[in-house]
Amino acid sequence: MTGLVAVIMIFSIPLAGIITSHLQTQTKLKHKMISTELELEKLKHENFVIETQKMRLELEQLKLEDAKKDEHLLLK
């Protein structure tokens, strides 16, 4: 019985180390993945802001062009 307990104790220590190492590796990978996703979301937000600003400028330009056309038609 004592031999069985000794064998179990001898094999449980490396198994615990392997499991702990695996969990640490998984946690590091999850952290890296979340950091990458956060950076991607920041880039998406920047892109959205730039596109919105560009569309706003294009709309203003179209309004100015329409106003010039209307003014030109009124002068004729």
Side-chain angles (χ1 to χ4, degrees):
M1 187 69 165
T2 308
L4 181 64
V5 172
V7 170
I8 292 173
M9 294 294 286
I10 288 172
F11 286 112
S12 66
I13 293 172
L15 287 175
I18 291 170
I19 292 170
T20 303
S21 173
H22 175 69
L23 292 176
Q24 285 178 346
T25 304
Q26 274 187 324
T27 305
K28 287 178 183 178
L29 288 173
K30 283 182 183 179
H31 174 71
K32 187 175 181 180
M33 186 175 68
I34 290 172
S35 297
T36 305
E37 287 178 2
L38 182 64
E39 188 175 333
L40 180 63
E41 287 299 322
K42 286 179 183 179
L43 289 173
K44 284 181 181 179
H45 180 70
E46 277 183 39
N47 189 30
F48 174 76
V49 169
I50 290 170
E51 285 181 2
T52 305
Q53 205 171 26
K54 181 181 175 186
M55 286 193 298
R56 186 178 304 132
L57 290 173
E58 288 176 356
L59 183 62
E60 287 179 18
Q61 186 178 6
L62 287 174
K63 285 180 183 179
L64 288 174
E65 288 175 2
D66 284 345
K68 286 181 181 179
K69 286 180 184 177
D70 290 343
E71 186 178 305
H72 184 34
L73 289 174
L74 291 175
L75 290 176
K76 285 187 177 181

